[in-house]
Amino acid sequence: MTAKILDGKAIAEQMRAEIKVETAKLKARGVTPGLGVLLVGDNPASRSYVSAKEKACTEAGMYSEEIRLPATATKAQILEVVHSFNKNPKIHGVLVQLPLPDAKMEQAVIEAIDPAKDVDGFHPVSVGKMMLGLPTYLPCTPHGVLHILKRSGYATDGAHVVVVGRSNIVGRPLVNMLSQKGELGNATVTMCHTRTKDLAKYTLQADIIVAAAGRPKTITADMVRPGAVVIDVGVNRVADPATRSGYRLVGDVDYAPVAAKVAAITPVPGGVGPMTITMLLFNTLESARRMAGG
Ligand code: GUN
């Protein structure tokens, strides 16, 4: 079997076109959705993510504002920027790019974001609402995974989904969202992680595998059953002297051998990545809509 390639880039473009139309409607009512982005330090991956987010905002017709602070910024300086975004009526979504140079500050910074503007969905209020199935901003990467599946025609309803990874950004919210009632959920979910014994025992039972462990070749061909659908959330840099940059991006899945066996798979890059930014636009539009009175 040769897998169908799930083209996250094409799905993202389609959704962004829809978001652009809705943004134009809101702008006609005098409200331009705005995103405030804070980047602390100069981590090259974070820099490129932040540029991509701002470019996507501009292309969708949204307003964006970026503030950069040096890696040496104090917690007080970071919180001051977050508070200024919270107060700014032109800003409907606040995003602090993670990781922060000082990981110990992260929780306090996330908790300083006004939950009404928490378009990343990382604030404990947002997480709690998600857990209860109440309306809130859903975290962008897992939400993007669910939309790839839906728009590719792979229903999660009744499916056994094995999520490999337990991060607060991807694995844990994804497990929660998949287990909820609703068109993006209704799955039977198994969560695996680095301490899971005999990972293959679980992945071999999966209709859908989501690899979000942050380690290349976490999922190899002997761990998937023919007919499975594989979503690769991993973005790992591996050394490659043949490239100009000296590295290339790979996911968590041993792509070619797995693609030769399964029904469908997302590539890296071009799979989940573009969907993350799309869902950020989606949440920012939603926030602007709410603030404009629905
Ligand atoms: N770092 C990696 N993914 C994300 C994300 O979705 N949001 C933020 N703010 N930082 C990230």
Side-chain angles (χ1 to χ4, degrees), residues 44-46 48-49 235-250:
S46 291
S48 80
Y49 288 137
V235 185
N236 307 293
R237 287 184 176 198
V238 294
D240 185 350
T243 64
R244 202 150 42 97
S245 58
Y247 70 87
R248 76 193 149 83
L249 292 181
V250 298

Side-chain angles (χ1 to χ4, degrees), residues 46 49 53 95-99 120 122 139-141 169-170 276 280:
S46 291
Y49 288 137
K53 286 170 185 177
L95 183 142
V96 179
Q97 186 62 32
L98 302 177
D120 256 330
F122 294 165
C140 301
T141 302
I169 292 182
V170 186
T276 297
L280 177 69

Side-chain angles (χ1 to χ4, degrees), residues 10 19 43 53 80 116 126 159 185 253 258:
I19 290 167
N43 177 319
K53 286 170 185 177
E80 195 182 314
S126 309
V253 176
V258 171

Side-chain angles (χ1 to χ4, degrees), residues 187-220:
T188 301
V189 195
T190 300
M191 177 191 258
C192 298
H193 46 73
T194 45
R195 300 296 291 269
T196 299
K197 286 186 188 148
D198 193 4
L199 180 58
K201 181 170 99 184
Y202 302 97
T203 55
L204 282 167
Q205 296 175 47
D207 301 309
I208 299 169
I209 298 170
V210 182
R215 191 188 60 191
K217 298 193 183 176
T218 296
I219 305 296
T220 49

Side-chain angles (χ1 to χ4, degrees), residues 149-163:
L149 288 168
K150 181 183 165 203
R151 294 206 178 209
S152 307
Y154 294 104
T156 52
D157 197 320
H160 180 203
V161 184
V162 174
V163 177

Side-chain angles (χ1 to χ4, degrees), residues 70-143:
T72 52
T74 62
K75 189 159 131 189
Q77 287 169 322
I78 294 173
L79 292 179
E80 195 182 314
V81 173
V82 172
H83 292 142
S84 75
F85 281 149
N86 284 347
K87 278 188 285 191
N88 186 342
K90 278 161 66 181
I91 299 295
H92 304 94
V94 177
L95 183 142
V96 179
Q97 186 62 32
L98 302 177
L100 290 177
D102 181 352
K104 290 193 300 299
M105 290 180 192
E106 278 179 10
Q107 198 55 34
V109 172
I110 288 170
E111 289 184 25
I113 295 170
D114 177 352
K117 297 189 177 186
D118 177 33
V119 287
D120 256 330
F122 294 165
H123 191 286
V125 167
S126 309
V127 177
K129 286 185 174 174
M130 174 192 66
M131 169 77 195
L132 295 169
L134 298 172
T136 186
Y137 303 108
L138 296 173
C140 301
T141 302
H143 198 191

